[in-house]
Structures are given as C-alpha cells and as structure tokens.
Amino acid sequence: MTDAFVKDFITFVRKTYRKETGRDISENTLRIYLRSLKAIYNEGIRVGHVKGTNPFANIKGQSLNSVRREKTALDDDELGAFLAYQPQNITERFAKDFFILSLQLSGANLGYILALRNENIVNGEVCFRRRKTRKSGLITVIPFTSVAEEIMRRYGVLNPAKPSDYILPYLVNCTTQKSIDNKIHDVIKRINKGLESISRDLNLF
C-alpha cells in the first residue's frame, strides 16, 4: 500500500459519497473510512504481509486519530447574547427560530423536528420515538411550550383535524429516505448559514 493508493482511495470515497447522497462528505466522516482502511493496513503489518513506510502519515497535516473539532457549546453569557440578538435578515431569523425550537424540544435534532406530525402533539405535550430508542418502544415526552408552538405556527400548520399531516412543510413531497435525508441536509445548511452570520455579529468565534 502506497501514498498514491491512499490518495486514490480518498478520491473514490469522495466521488462515491457524492454520487450516493448528492452532497460532499465531511472531513470527519472521511476519516472514519480512512481509519477502517488503516486498521486493515495495520493487521497486514501484524501478520507480516505488509512492509514499507506508513502511507497514512500526515494526511492533510492531521493524524487520523486526532480530528480537531470546533467549539459547539455556548456558555451562559453567549447564550443570553444569542437569545437577545435581533436577526438582520430572513436567514438569520430562520436559523435563530429553529435553534430555539430545538432547545424547547430538549435538544431534538432537526430530523425529528421536521418529521413531527399533528398526531405527535397530545394534551399539550410533544410525543415521539427517538431513533435510538425505537426498539425499546420508549417514547420521548416533552412539554409543548408556547415558544415552540409560536415557532411551529410561524413556519407550519398545527391542525389536530389532520393528525397524519406534517406540522412543518419541508418533508411533505419527500417520498424516499434519500429525498428526506437530502431535504434535512438542505435545511441544516440554511440554519448553519444563519447561525454563522449571527455568530460573526456577536463575535462568538
């Protein structure tokens, strides 16, 4: 195995991921694939089938076992500044609203939020199964606050008479898991764009 082989592998993974998902692979996800390849390489060394220099050395200047992650959590002062911030455009308003909506729903990720239907609102509570607890049948129950309701009404429709309808409209025309994943990714990009703009204004990074 050579440096050239590893570079060809990276190119293959990037192209395949793009073809299958319609989007670029993240650096951290790419490194998961590379770590698997490196594990195979190391096993080859262990059994005596592989010799030579390490083809994984200094890939893009970083160790495969050490991927730098940016700060993601806000302290109390930063969160207070964010909540008090007045959005300067529609993109910032959208991002701030969905950030707050996630907070109101106990940190639920965007996939769960966009998948909420009217039937998930029961007696003033939001009820749904998280993916990691579906096998156990456990249901997450969160108080449906007035703040969460206001945001959902701003972007969607709350209608108990149509229990199977999505509250938010973004997944309405998605008929496959791939189309659902792509739509969620598009909304995440829109939110991230707004959050980055707000963060710059507040000097949060």
Side-chain angles (χ1 to χ4, degrees):
M1 191 180 295
T2 64
D3 293 352
F5 178 91
V6 174
K7 290 178 181 178
D8 288 343
F9 176 78
I10 292 172
T11 299
F12 171 78
V13 171
R14 289 187 187 280
K15 288 183 177 179
T16 302
Y17 190 91
R18 179 70 184 178
K19 180 179 179 181
E20 294 295 327
T21 68
R23 56 182 185 269
D24 294 329
I25 192 170
S26 71
E27 289 301 309
N28 284 339
T29 302
L30 175 61
R31 287 173 186 278
I32 291 174
Y33 287 99
L34 287 171
R35 283 197 295 270
S36 297
L37 182 62
K38 187 178 182 181
I40 296 172
Y41 173 80
N42 288 339
E43 178 63 16
I45 293 176
R46 190 187 69 81
V47 299
H49 292 326
V50 176
K51 296 180 180 180
T53 59
N54 179 10
F56 297 91
N58 200 35
I59 295 176
K60 286 198 173 182
Q62 294 186 40
S63 166
L64 288 179
N65 297 318
S66 178
V67 179
R68 181 175 181 269
R69 294 181 180 273
E70 298 295 333
K71 176 184 175 184
T72 57
L74 301 178
D75 62 30
D76 290 344
D77 290 339
E78 291 171 336
L79 180 58
F82 177 88
L83 295 177
Y85 180 81
Q86 295 300 312
Q88 303 300 302
N89 52 55
I90 294 174
T91 299
E92 289 188 354
R93 165 56 66 187
F94 184 82
K96 182 181 178 182
D97 280 344
F98 274 83
F99 182 89
I100 292 174
L101 182 57
S102 178
L103 291 180
Q104 293 291 313
L105 298 179
S106 296
N109 69 41
L110 187 67
Y112 294 126
I113 293 173
L114 298 188
L116 288 173
R117 301 174 188 268
N118 285 295
E119 63 190 2
N120 293 115
I121 310 299
V122 181
N123 297 325
E125 295 176 321
V126 183
C127 308
F128 62 93
R129 285 187 176 88
R130 295 182 187 271
R131 186 171 300 169
K132 63 182 179 182
T133 61
R134 283 177 186 170
K135 290 184 178 180
S136 67
L138 294 176
I139 297 176
T140 298
V141 179
I142 303 167
F144 190 38
T145 66
S146 59
V147 174
E149 180 177 357
E150 178 184 352
I151 293 173
M152 285 190 174
R153 289 190 184 280
R154 184 176 300 144
Y155 296 98
V157 176
L158 285 163
N159 186 355
K162 296 183 177 181
S164 63
D165 282 7
Y166 287 114
I167 297 173
L168 300 167
Y170 305 98
L171 303 183
V172 170
N173 295 319
C174 297
T175 57
T176 66
Q177 187 59 51
K178 182 176 180 179
S179 63
I180 289 173
D181 292 342
N182 286 341
K183 177 57 68 173
I184 292 172
H185 179 74
D186 289 343
V187 177
I188 288 174
K189 285 179 62 177
R190 183 179 174 189
I191 292 172
N192 286 343
K193 182 178 180 180
L195 292 178
E196 288 172 3
S197 178
I198 293 172
S199 296
R200 284 193 296 272
D201 286 349
L202 295 177
N203 293 318
L204 296 181
F205 62 81

